[in-house]
Amino acid sequence: MGAELFGRLCASCHGARGAADTPMAGALVPKPARHNDGNYMNGLSDEHLFQVIKNGGSALGKSPMMAAWGSSLTDAQIRDVIAFIRTLADPPYSPPSG
């Protein structure tokens, strides 16, 4: 489910494989996050990603170009998108133990 939602709602800016290599991404300043950059993305908590997706980039001091999806997606759908985003990371994401 997360892959389908990501493809429909996020890929135009973040790229189908998370490389932010689309024409739309090239036109944005600042550039969208590269979800395939595990060195960056793996340091972000699921809660941080959840808040950015739900409330938009400006809610966390990120780009206001990152839309808020909280009125369009349920919390469960946002968590599905996060689960998919985690599959894009190189090096691969390893959840914190605890």
Side-chain angles (χ1 to χ4, degrees):
M1 183 66 164
E4 188 276 325
L5 290 168
F6 184 90
R8 187 163 39 96
L9 303 174
C10 312
S12 62
C13 293
H14 293 283
R17 297 299 307 151
D21 56 358
T22 67
M24 177 84 71
L28 294 174
V29 177
K31 301 296 180 217
R34 288 181 47 237
H35 296 313
N36 66 346
D37 179 359
N39 292 316
Y40 173 71
M41 293 298 296
N42 294 344
L44 301 176
S45 70
D46 286 354
E47 183 57 28
H48 176 86
L49 297 175
F50 182 89
Q51 292 302 322
V52 170
I53 294 167
K54 183 169 185 145
N55 299 312
S58 59
L60 284 120
K62 302 286 185 186
S63 173
M65 300 299 291
M66 171 59 201
W69 293 102
S71 63
S72 302
L73 298 174
T74 66
D75 287 359
Q77 288 174 315
I78 292 171
R79 294 198 190 288
D80 287 344
V81 170
I82 292 167
F84 175 72
I85 288 170
R86 293 298 193 193
T87 70
L88 301 174
D90 183 22
Y93 177 69
S94 180
S97 58

